[in-house]
Amino acid sequence: MPSRRSTKVAEAKRLLILNGPNLNLLGPREPNQYGRHTLKEIEDQLRSYAASRGAELRFVQSNHEGVLIDAIQNAIGWADAIVVNPAALTHTSVGLRDAILAANIPTVEVHLSNIYRREEFRHQSLIADVAIGQITGFGAFSYLLGVQAALHLLEKGRS
Ligand code: DQA
């Protein structure tokens, strides 16, 4: 009888892509800071990249902390990893941090701008030390790097 291991078919990896407050305004919002891509364009790009890697993505954007926390809780048992741009909540939300800890789903933190080159209040992230890692400052490309990093991590874990 073949072993369980040899019969296991590699399943598509599932990623939750989570975006916090005001990121629905990307495009017209402070383009010097965040670039001109809309969130829809970023999501479309991620979707096609994920398809090329056989991964499945689910997208949630909200301006409300509780909705983001619910999305993290709902991801338990579904998502293999989370890629999150917590936006302003990066610097303030113990609730989001606790949700990531409670869900125990590997999480990559991403930012369009380099938060360390901006106002001092943006230098602190309440998410960074509960995330696997942080990608900051590459514009829309930060998201692609975040998805790549998450998939890399999951591939590594598989072997
Ligand atoms: C941001 C940086 C945050 O400080 C800011 O509040 C945002 C966007 C970024 O992607 O660069 O809304 O997370």
Side-chain angles (χ1 to χ4, degrees), residues 19-51:
N19 278 288
N22 301 307
L23 293 172
N24 54 315
L25 298 181
L26 285 180
R29 179 192 177 198
E30 297 182 76
N32 291 346
Q33 204 63 259
Y34 301 119
R36 294 190 181 279
H37 289 291
T38 64
L39 189 56
K40 163 106 178 43
E41 287 167 349
I42 292 171
E43 289 178 351
D44 286 347
Q45 190 196 24
L46 295 183
R47 202 177 280 110
S48 65
Y49 176 73

Short mmCIF file of all heavy atoms in Angstrom, two decimals, residues 19-51:
data_model
loop_
_atom_site.label_atom_id
_atom_site.label_comp_id
_atom_site.label_asym_id
_atom_site.label_seq_id
_atom_site.Cartn_x
_atom_site.Cartn_y
_atom_site.Cartn_z
N ASN A 19 -6.35 44.40 3.16
CA ASN A 19 -5.98 45.81 3.06
C ASN A 19 -6.81 46.67 4.00
O ASN A 19 -8.03 46.55 4.05
CB ASN A 19 -6.20 46.29 1.62
CG ASN A 19 -5.03 45.93 0.74
OD1 ASN A 19 -3.95 46.52 0.84
ND2 ASN A 19 -5.21 44.94 -0.12
N GLY A 20 -6.12 47.55 4.71
CA GLY A 20 -6.75 48.37 5.72
C GLY A 20 -7.27 49.70 5.20
O GLY A 20 -7.42 49.91 3.99
N PRO A 21 -7.54 50.62 6.13
CA PRO A 21 -8.22 51.87 5.84
C PRO A 21 -7.58 52.71 4.75
O PRO A 21 -6.35 52.84 4.70
CB PRO A 21 -8.16 52.63 7.17
CG PRO A 21 -7.77 51.65 8.20
CD PRO A 21 -7.21 50.45 7.54
N ASN A 22 -8.43 53.27 3.92
CA ASN A 22 -8.08 54.24 2.87
C ASN A 22 -7.38 53.64 1.66
O ASN A 22 -7.13 54.34 0.68
CB ASN A 22 -7.23 55.39 3.45
CG ASN A 22 -7.97 56.13 4.55
OD1 ASN A 22 -9.09 56.57 4.35
ND2 ASN A 22 -7.37 56.23 5.73
N LEU A 23 -7.07 52.35 1.73
CA LEU A 23 -6.39 51.75 0.57
C LEU A 23 -7.37 51.53 -0.59
O LEU A 23 -6.94 51.33 -1.73
CB LEU A 23 -5.69 50.45 0.97
CG LEU A 23 -4.51 50.72 1.94
CD1 LEU A 23 -3.96 49.41 2.49
CD2 LEU A 23 -3.40 51.51 1.27
N ASN A 24 -8.67 51.63 -0.32
CA ASN A 24 -9.65 51.63 -1.42
C ASN A 24 -9.50 52.89 -2.28
O ASN A 24 -10.02 52.92 -3.40
CB ASN A 24 -11.08 51.53 -0.86
CG ASN A 24 -11.38 52.62 0.17
OD1 ASN A 24 -10.56 52.87 1.05
ND2 ASN A 24 -12.54 53.23 0.08
N LEU A 25 -8.79 53.89 -1.78
CA LEU A 25 -8.63 55.14 -2.54
C LEU A 25 -7.33 55.18 -3.34
O LEU A 25 -6.98 56.22 -3.92
CB LEU A 25 -8.68 56.34 -1.58
CG LEU A 25 -10.00 56.52 -0.81
CD1 LEU A 25 -9.92 57.74 0.09
CD2 LEU A 25 -11.19 56.64 -1.76
N LEU A 26 -6.59 54.08 -3.33
CA LEU A 26 -5.32 54.06 -4.09
C LEU A 26 -5.59 54.45 -5.54
O LEU A 26 -6.60 54.06 -6.12
CB LEU A 26 -4.67 52.67 -4.04
CG LEU A 26 -4.00 52.27 -2.73
CD1 LEU A 26 -3.41 50.87 -2.86
CD2 LEU A 26 -2.91 53.27 -2.33
N GLY A 27 -4.63 55.13 -6.11
CA GLY A 27 -4.81 55.71 -7.45
C GLY A 27 -4.80 57.22 -7.28
O GLY A 27 -3.75 57.86 -7.35
N PRO A 28 -5.98 57.76 -6.95
CA PRO A 28 -6.02 59.20 -6.69
C PRO A 28 -5.41 59.61 -5.34
O PRO A 28 -5.03 60.76 -5.15
CB PRO A 28 -7.52 59.54 -6.72
CG PRO A 28 -8.24 58.26 -6.62
CD PRO A 28 -7.32 57.17 -7.06
N ARG A 29 -5.30 58.66 -4.38
CA ARG A 29 -4.83 59.02 -3.03
C ARG A 29 -3.33 59.28 -3.01
O ARG A 29 -2.53 58.36 -3.26
CB ARG A 29 -5.15 57.89 -2.06
CG ARG A 29 -4.67 58.16 -0.64
CD ARG A 29 -4.73 56.93 0.25
NE ARG A 29 -4.20 57.23 1.57
CZ ARG A 29 -3.79 56.31 2.44
NH1 ARG A 29 -3.85 55.03 2.13
NH2 ARG A 29 -3.32 56.67 3.61
N GLU A 30 -2.92 60.49 -2.68
CA GLU A 30 -1.50 60.84 -2.50
C GLU A 30 -0.60 60.03 -3.44
O GLU A 30 0.24 59.25 -2.97
CB GLU A 30 -1.07 60.57 -1.05
CG GLU A 30 -1.79 61.39 -0.01
CD GLU A 30 -1.26 61.09 1.39
OE1 GLU A 30 -0.17 61.57 1.73
OE2 GLU A 30 -1.94 60.33 2.12
N PRO A 31 -0.73 60.23 -4.74
CA PRO A 31 0.05 59.41 -5.67
C PRO A 31 1.57 59.52 -5.49
O PRO A 31 2.29 58.57 -5.78
CB PRO A 31 -0.39 59.91 -7.06
CG PRO A 31 -1.15 61.15 -6.82
CD PRO A 31 -1.65 61.15 -5.42
N ASN A 32 2.02 60.67 -4.97
CA ASN A 32 3.47 60.79 -4.74
C ASN A 32 3.96 59.81 -3.68
O ASN A 32 5.11 59.37 -3.71
CB ASN A 32 3.84 62.21 -4.28
CG ASN A 32 3.66 63.20 -5.40
OD1 ASN A 32 3.52 62.79 -6.56
ND2 ASN A 32 3.63 64.48 -5.07
N GLN A 33 3.06 59.50 -2.78
CA GLN A 33 3.41 58.58 -1.69
C GLN A 33 3.14 57.13 -2.08
O GLN A 33 3.93 56.24 -1.79
CB GLN A 33 2.52 58.94 -0.48
CG GLN A 33 3.07 58.56 0.85
CD GLN A 33 4.36 59.25 1.19
OE1 GLN A 33 5.42 58.65 1.06
NE2 GLN A 33 4.29 60.51 1.59
N TYR A 34 2.00 56.91 -2.74
CA TYR A 34 1.52 55.54 -2.93
C TYR A 34 1.46 55.07 -4.38
O TYR A 34 1.08 53.93 -4.64
CB TYR A 34 0.12 55.40 -2.29
CG TYR A 34 0.12 55.72 -0.80
CD1 TYR A 34 -0.64 56.76 -0.29
CD2 TYR A 34 0.92 55.00 0.08
CE1 TYR A 34 -0.62 57.06 1.08
CE2 TYR A 34 0.95 55.29 1.43
CZ TYR A 34 0.18 56.32 1.93
OH TYR A 34 0.20 56.61 3.27
N GLY A 35 1.83 55.95 -5.32
CA GLY A 35 1.78 55.56 -6.73
C GLY A 35 0.39 55.73 -7.31
O GLY A 35 -0.54 56.16 -6.61
N ARG A 36 0.24 55.39 -8.58
CA ARG A 36 -1.01 55.67 -9.29
C ARG A 36 -1.87 54.42 -9.52
O ARG A 36 -2.94 54.50 -10.10
CB ARG A 36 -0.72 56.36 -10.62
CG ARG A 36 -0.13 57.73 -10.41
CD ARG A 36 -0.03 58.57 -11.66
NE ARG A 36 0.58 59.85 -11.33
CZ ARG A 36 -0.07 60.88 -10.80
NH1 ARG A 36 -1.36 60.80 -10.59
NH2 ARG A 36 0.57 62.00 -10.51
N HIS A 37 -1.37 53.27 -9.10
CA HIS A 37 -2.18 52.05 -9.32
C HIS A 37 -3.36 52.02 -8.36
O HIS A 37 -3.22 52.33 -7.18
CB HIS A 37 -1.33 50.80 -9.09
CG HIS A 37 -0.32 50.57 -10.16
ND1 HIS A 37 -0.67 50.20 -11.44
CD2 HIS A 37 1.02 50.67 -10.14
CE1 HIS A 37 0.42 50.09 -12.17
NE2 HIS A 37 1.47 50.36 -11.41
N THR A 38 -4.51 51.63 -8.87
CA THR A 38 -5.67 51.43 -8.00
C THR A 38 -5.54 50.07 -7.31
O THR A 38 -4.77 49.20 -7.76
CB THR A 38 -6.98 51.44 -8.82
OG1 THR A 38 -6.96 50.32 -9.71
CG2 THR A 38 -7.14 52.74 -9.60
N LEU A 39 -6.33 49.91 -6.26
CA LEU A 39 -6.30 48.62 -5.56
C LEU A 39 -6.77 47.50 -6.49
O LEU A 39 -6.24 46.39 -6.47
CB LEU A 39 -7.18 48.69 -4.30
CG LEU A 39 -7.08 47.49 -3.36
CD1 LEU A 39 -5.65 47.22 -2.92
CD2 LEU A 39 -8.00 47.66 -2.15
N LYS A 40 -7.75 47.83 -7.34
CA LYS A 40 -8.26 46.83 -8.29
C LYS A 40 -7.14 46.37 -9.22
O LYS A 40 -7.00 45.18 -9.51
CB LYS A 40 -9.44 47.44 -9.06
CG LYS A 40 -9.85 46.75 -10.33
CD LYS A 40 -11.15 45.98 -10.14
CE LYS A 40 -11.67 45.30 -11.39
NZ LYS A 40 -10.73 44.61 -12.25
N GLU A 41 -6.33 47.33 -9.71
CA GLU A 41 -5.22 46.96 -10.60
C GLU A 41 -4.21 46.07 -9.87
O GLU A 41 -3.70 45.09 -10.43
CB GLU A 41 -4.52 48.23 -11.12
CG GLU A 41 -5.34 48.98 -12.15
CD GLU A 41 -4.81 50.38 -12.44
OE1 GLU A 41 -3.93 50.89 -11.71
OE2 GLU A 41 -5.30 50.99 -13.41
N ILE A 42 -3.93 46.42 -8.62
CA ILE A 42 -2.99 45.62 -7.83
C ILE A 42 -3.55 44.21 -7.64
O ILE A 42 -2.85 43.21 -7.83
CB ILE A 42 -2.69 46.31 -6.48
CG1 ILE A 42 -1.92 47.60 -6.70
CG2 ILE A 42 -1.93 45.37 -5.55
CD1 ILE A 42 -1.76 48.48 -5.46
N GLU A 43 -4.83 44.14 -7.30
CA GLU A 43 -5.45 42.83 -7.07
C GLU A 43 -5.46 42.00 -8.36
O GLU A 43 -5.19 40.79 -8.32
CB GLU A 43 -6.86 43.01 -6.52
CG GLU A 43 -6.86 43.53 -5.09
CD GLU A 43 -8.24 43.77 -4.50
OE1 GLU A 43 -9.24 43.69 -5.25
OE2 GLU A 43 -8.32 44.03 -3.29
N ASP A 44 -5.74 42.64 -9.48
CA ASP A 44 -5.75 41.90 -10.76
C ASP A 44 -4.36 41.33 -11.06
O ASP A 44 -4.21 40.20 -11.51
CB ASP A 44 -6.17 42.83 -11.92
CG ASP A 44 -7.67 43.12 -11.88
OD1 ASP A 44 -8.40 42.42 -11.13
OD2 ASP A 44 -8.11 44.05 -12.58
N GLN A 45 -3.34 42.15 -10.79
CA GLN A 45 -1.97 41.70 -11.03
C GLN A 45 -1.63 40.51 -10.13
O GLN A 45 -1.03 39.52 -10.57
CB GLN A 45 -1.00 42.85 -10.76
CG GLN A 45 0.41 42.56 -11.21
CD GLN A 45 1.42 43.51 -10.62
OE1 GLN A 45 1.19 44.11 -9.56
NE2 GLN A 45 2.54 43.67 -11.29
N LEU A 46 -2.05 40.60 -8.87
CA LEU A 46 -1.76 39.51 -7.93
C LEU A 46 -2.50 38.25 -8.33
O LEU A 46 -1.97 37.14 -8.25
CB LEU A 46 -2.17 39.90 -6.50
CG LEU A 46 -1.39 41.05 -5.86
CD1 LEU A 46 -1.87 41.27 -4.43
CD2 LEU A 46 0.11 40.80 -5.89
N ARG A 47 -3.75 38.44 -8.79
CA ARG A 47 -4.56 37.29 -9.20
C ARG A 47 -3.89 36.54 -10.34
O ARG A 47 -3.81 35.31 -10.32
CB ARG A 47 -5.96 37.75 -9.60
CG ARG A 47 -7.01 36.67 -9.52
CD ARG A 47 -8.40 37.16 -9.85
NE ARG A 47 -9.06 37.84 -8.76
CZ ARG A 47 -9.33 39.14 -8.71
NH1 ARG A 47 -8.98 39.93 -9.71
NH2 ARG A 47 -9.93 39.67 -7.68
N SER A 48 -3.38 37.29 -11.32
CA SER A 48 -2.78 36.57 -12.46
C SER A 48 -1.44 35.95 -12.05
O SER A 48 -1.10 34.85 -12.50
CB SER A 48 -2.68 37.43 -13.72
OG SER A 48 -1.81 38.48 -13.51
N TYR A 49 -0.70 36.62 -11.17
CA TYR A 49 0.54 36.00 -10.70
C TYR A 49 0.23 34.72 -9.93
O TYR A 49 0.86 33.68 -10.14
CB TYR A 49 1.34 36.97 -9.81
CG TYR A 49 2.57 36.30 -9.25
CD1 TYR A 49 3.66 36.02 -10.06
CD2 TYR A 49 2.60 35.86 -7.92
CE1 TYR A 49 4.77 35.35 -9.56
CE2 TYR A 49 3.70 35.20 -7.42
CZ TYR A 49 4.78 34.95 -8.24
OH TYR A 49 5.87 34.27 -7.75
N ALA A 50 -0.76 34.81 -9.05
CA ALA A 50 -1.11 33.64 -8.24
C ALA A 50 -1.54 32.47 -9.12
O ALA A 50 -1.18 31.32 -8.87
CB ALA A 50 -2.22 34.00 -7.25
N ALA A 51 -2.29 32.79 -10.19
CA ALA A 51 -2.74 31.73 -11.11
C ALA A 51 -1.53 31.02 -11.71
O ALA A 51 -1.50 29.80 -11.83
CB ALA A 51 -3.62 32.32 -12.19
#
